[in-house]
Amino acid sequence: MMGPPGTLMQRIYPRQHLMRVDDLGQELRLLRVSNVRKVFHSTRGTYTALDGASLTIEDGEFVCLLGPSGCGKSTLLNILAGFEPATSGAVFADDAPVTAAARDRVMLFQDAGTALLPWLSVEENMRFALRVRRIPKPEWPEVIDKYLHMVNLDRHRAKFPYELSGGMRQRLQIARALAVEPKVLLMDEPFAALDALTRRHMHAVLLDIWQRTGKTVVFVTHDIAEAISLADRIAVMSVGPCSAITKLIDIDLPRPRDLTNRKVAELFNEIEALLAPDLQRLDAMEAQ
């Protein structure tokens, strides 16, 4: 969170990731994207969204995919989720090929209102997720209590989504995702539609949950400040067509990260300068 210490989130340092190895002593990665290419075909022709995208993500890491609109961030996230196949290249989760959606990877969307079931209460939305994922029914009460308490919605379990604020709906979406015990949370600009104060609070909520659960998070954003405040690493993506990951930036700074801090401000300016040529190219493309 970009703000003063002593609020919801205390000082959290980047995680020290433990190297995992297989029986042959080879290092394992939780997620691995290798030279991925994605081509879309339509009546208007073909469009190459990704070309040569490569990335490895450690267990428990918080990684932000950062870039302007149209750079393939959401496309890459959908491929990681198993919603979209790569045209070429390879994607692995725990060194197994990703060929379809799976319980160990859960997607969270920008519009929580459409992701939730409006005719079900908070608790019933939780129950629905557990039923779909075939979690044994005797475990439901404990799981629901645990995660509704974690996102501070335990006193709102009888309410319906339309009775919740935008931030509360996103917290419910997070709790519902955590309830099925995934290894990875894939988050596609989940706070973009929230007002600035709620968004800032949600950064603190998310980092607190990440720290407590140890989940791996892959978070899509086009907001430099948001990426800096949240991530262990930022994967900067180029403007499409033929988008790729052009730079990986490690952020070895304690949280919360305040933009008035000299090191944080320098990092912001560095990333802004890195993105500037692509933004100019995007403006030129849109002007044609």
Side-chain angles (χ1 to χ4, degrees):
M1 178 179 110
M2 298 253 182
T7 52
L8 173 64
M9 187 184 66
Q10 303 304 313
R11 291 178 74 82
I12 301 173
Y13 286 80
R15 290 182 184 278
Q16 298 298 312
H17 304 288
L18 297 176
M19 185 178 71
R20 300 182 304 146
V21 296
D22 62 17
D23 293 340
L24 300 176
Q26 299 295 312
E27 188 172 355
L28 294 173
R29 308 287 187 179
L30 182 61
L31 295 172
R32 181 159 53 92
V33 177
S34 180
N35 200 31
V36 161
R37 190 167 190 261
K38 179 62 181 179
V39 180
F40 291 100
H41 300 276
S42 71
T43 56
R44 292 174 293 176
T46 61
Y47 180 81
T48 303
L50 298 170
D51 193 11
S54 296
L55 177 67
T56 58
I57 298 173
E58 303 282 0
D59 190 9
E61 193 173 17
F62 200 127
V63 174
C64 280
L65 303 179
L66 172 68
S69 297
C71 74
K73 304 183 299 293
S74 294
T75 298
L76 181 54
L77 202 70
N78 284 332
I79 291 172
L80 284 169
F83 296 162
E84 286 272 357
T87 304
S88 62
V91 182
F92 298 91
D94 267 335
D95 273 18
V98 172
T99 57
R103 178 175 161 178
D104 64 339
R105 288 164 279 117
V106 174
M107 179 79 87
L108 290 91
F109 300 95
Q110 180 180 138
D111 187 355
T114 59
L116 301 171
L117 301 177
W119 60 90
L120 298 181
S121 69
V122 166
E123 181 166 342
E124 288 166 343
N125 263 279
M126 296 287 288
R127 287 177 176 272
F128 178 81
L130 296 173
R131 184 182 302 114
V132 168
R133 295 293 188 169
R134 298 182 179 178
I135 306 299
K137 198 166 185 177
E139 298 178 16
W140 290 8
E142 182 179 354
V143 170
I144 290 170
D145 288 348
K146 174 182 177 180
Y147 289 112
L148 286 184
H149 179 75
M150 185 175 291
V151 300
N152 198 26
L153 287 177
D154 46 321
R155 292 174 297 146
H156 304 277
R157 61 179 64 221
K159 291 182 178 178
F160 289 86
Y162 72 88
E163 298 178 287
L164 305 177
S165 68
M168 292 169 77
R169 286 194 292 269
Q170 281 296 0
R171 279 151 50 198
L172 175 54
Q173 189 181 190
I174 292 170
R176 194 176 66 171
L178 290 170
V180 300
E181 295 293 346
K183 292 183 179 179
V184 183
L185 298 179
L186 303 170
M187 309 187 76
D188 194 359
E189 299 193 72
F191 309 142
L194 302 177
D195 65 82
L197 288 175
T198 304
R199 188 178 190 182
R200 180 171 170 169
H201 176 67
M202 287 304 302
H203 290 166
V205 169
L206 177 59
L207 285 172
D208 180 65
I209 290 169
W210 168 72
Q211 185 72 9
R212 289 162 66 181
T213 64
K215 302 298 182 187
T216 300
V217 179
V218 185
F219 188 105
V220 163
T221 182
H222 59 262
D223 185 328
I224 298 172
E226 183 169 61
I228 292 173
S229 70
L230 294 174
D232 289 328
R233 281 192 303 152
I234 298 173
V236 180
M237 298 186 67
S238 59
V239 169
C242 300
S243 297
I245 294 170
T246 56
K247 187 167 185 177
L248 289 168
I249 299 172
D250 291 295
I251 307 181
D252 190 22
L253 296 170
R255 301 174 178 91
R257 297 166 181 159
D258 190 332
L259 273 178
T260 62
N261 177 279
R262 179 179 59 82
K263 290 184 178 180
V264 174
E266 287 174 354
L267 180 58
F268 184 100
N269 293 335
E270 175 190 337
I271 296 173
E272 191 172 47
L274 184 67
L275 290 172
D278 264 356
L279 292 173
Q280 292 170 2
R281 184 161 68 93
L282 185 60
D283 288 341
M285 290 166 58
E286 292 176 346
Q288 292 177 353

